[in-house]
């Protein structure tokens, strides 16, 4: 497997099998028109194209790695969410201690940390959580008399290690996947060539006869549809390689 093969396509790697899936659907529906145009487009051609698409899909989204990534991501988000209640309590303690501690939740780091959690920004959570822990350590003598417990302090400290470990694991999985794809870019180029072959013939067939179908074989229109689907928020977005880099 060569690693110095350049990409023939401008799309993102994860966009390619999704686009191929759309094209395969259109080709299967319109196969009679394609066969009438050229005997190249037999049922065997459609089968080969579908198999090629599945091969690339498994290369980019391998089932085992995708499952691992989902588990790590769910655990990471669960740990981050578990901090929301302690943050609310710390805000309350800051209010109770305001006579001896002139620091608002925003100044203390509570608001910034909550925002990073809601944004699912693991690296941002780590950074702001460390700031919060430093502030708690510096003002422990003031906050403990109004209710801050050793258990809550320990929870916040342990969360740093847990989030950091899962963030690194995310990066490790995604990085390995990217290396595998890079080593097999020739396979992706082959799928792209097949996509373009079908699309070029589709444009010939429907340029004047069917504007609606023409769009389904037009690259720019296809990429718009693919990116719309892949940009839709969902719990598994990191499966498309959107995990943050480890720190």
């Amino acid at each position: 497997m060569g690693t110095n093969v350049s990409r023939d396509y401008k799309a993102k790697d994860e966009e390619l099998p999704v686009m191929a899936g759309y094209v395969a659907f259109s080709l299967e529906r319109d196969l009679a028109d394609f066969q009438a145009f050229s005997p190249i487009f037999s049922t065997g051609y459609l089968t080969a194209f579908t198999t090629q698409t599945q091969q690339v899909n498994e290369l980019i989204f391998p089932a085992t790695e995708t499952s691992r990534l989902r588990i790590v991501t769910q655990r990471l988000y669960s740990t981050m969410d578990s901090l929301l209640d302690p943050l609310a309590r710390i805000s309350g303690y800051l209010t109770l201690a305001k006579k001896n501690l002139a620091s608002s939740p925003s100044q203390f780091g509570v608001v910034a940390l909550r925002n990073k959690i809601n944004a699912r920004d693991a690296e941002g959570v780590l950074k702001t959580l460390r700031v919060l822990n430093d502030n708690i350590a510096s003002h422990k003598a003031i906050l403990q008399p109004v209710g801050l417990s050793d258990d809550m302090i320990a929870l916040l400290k342990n969360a740093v290690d847990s989030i950091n470990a899962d963030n690194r694991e995310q990066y490790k999985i995604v990085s390995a996947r990217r290396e595998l794809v890079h080593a097999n870019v020739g396979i992706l180029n082959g799928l792209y060539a097949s996509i373009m072959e079908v699309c070029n013939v589709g444009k010939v067939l429907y340029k004047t006869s069917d504007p609606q179908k023409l769009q389904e074989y037009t690259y720019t229109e296809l990429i718009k549809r693919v990116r719309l689907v892949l940009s839709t928020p969902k719990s598994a977005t990191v499966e498309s390689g959107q995990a943050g880099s480890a720190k």
Side-chain angles (χ1 to χ4, degrees):
M1 295 183 295
T3 58
N4 296 318
V5 180
S6 61
R7 284 170 169 76
D8 295 336
Y9 52 93
K10 294 182 180 180
K12 296 178 182 178
D13 293 332
E14 62 268 23
E15 294 170 343
L16 210 56
V18 179
M19 184 186 302
Y22 291 168
V23 173
F25 171 82
S26 299
L27 176 60
E28 182 176 16
R29 180 197 61 202
D30 302 327
L31 192 59
D33 290 342
F34 277 76
Q35 288 175 333
F37 177 77
S38 172
I40 290 176
F41 297 100
S42 61
T43 54
Y45 182 99
L46 175 61
T47 299
F49 183 71
T50 302
T51 300
Q52 193 178 23
T53 300
Q54 292 172 340
Q55 181 185 17
V56 171
N57 194 65
E58 178 57 28
L59 177 63
I60 294 177
F61 305 115
T64 301
E65 295 304 304
T66 296
S67 178
R68 280 182 59 207
L69 188 57
R70 183 182 296 112
I71 291 170
V72 171
T73 301
Q74 289 176 343
R75 186 172 62 223
L76 173 64
Y77 289 170
S78 178
T79 302
M80 289 162 59
D81 287 340
S82 72
L83 300 177
L84 292 173
D85 181 68
L87 287 179
R89 293 174 181 269
I90 290 171
S91 293
Y93 297 144
L94 290 172
T95 300
L96 291 175
K98 63 183 178 181
K99 291 182 180 179
N100 299 314
L101 180 60
S103 181
S104 68
S106 177
Q107 294 169 327
F108 211 73
V110 172
V111 175
L113 179 53
R114 185 185 297 117
N115 289 340
K116 294 300 181 181
I117 292 171
N118 291 334
R120 296 306 195 213
D121 179 357
E123 294 172 12
V125 168
L126 282 172
K127 182 178 179 179
T128 53
L129 180 56
R130 287 179 176 126
V131 170
L132 178 66
N133 283 336
D134 287 344
N135 285 333
I136 289 175
S138 299
H139 302 89
K140 180 179 178 180
I142 297 174
L143 293 172
Q144 282 197 314
V146 298
L148 181 64
S149 67
D150 288 332
D151 286 344
M152 186 174 293
I153 294 173
L155 183 151
L156 294 170
K157 288 182 177 178
N158 292 336
V160 171
D161 294 334
S162 177
I163 293 170
N164 188 49
D166 283 338
N167 191 43
R168 285 178 175 272
E169 184 66 14
Q170 260 192 351
Y171 179 76
K172 182 179 177 181
I173 295 170
V174 172
S175 180
R177 178 182 295 178
R178 287 172 178 161
E179 286 298 316
L180 180 63
V181 171
H182 178 68
N184 290 276
V185 69
I187 295 175
L188 277 73
N189 284 341
L191 178 60
Y192 174 71
S194 296
I195 290 172
M196 296 313 297
E197 182 172 72
V198 173
C199 285
N200 287 337
V201 173
K203 285 188 286 187
V204 170
L205 292 174
Y206 304 116
K207 186 173 183 178
T208 58
S209 64
D210 195 325
Q212 182 62 42
K213 285 187 177 181
L214 175 62
Q215 288 189 333
E216 297 178 17
Y217 294 101
T218 302
Y219 179 86
T220 53
E221 183 63 30
L222 282 167
I223 200 66
K224 286 180 184 178
R225 296 180 184 184
V226 169
R227 287 174 179 170
L228 179 63
V229 169
L230 293 182
S231 66
T232 301
K234 54 185 177 180
S235 60
T237 48
V238 289
E239 294 171 17
S240 298
Q242 297 178 22
S245 59
K247 294 294 186 184

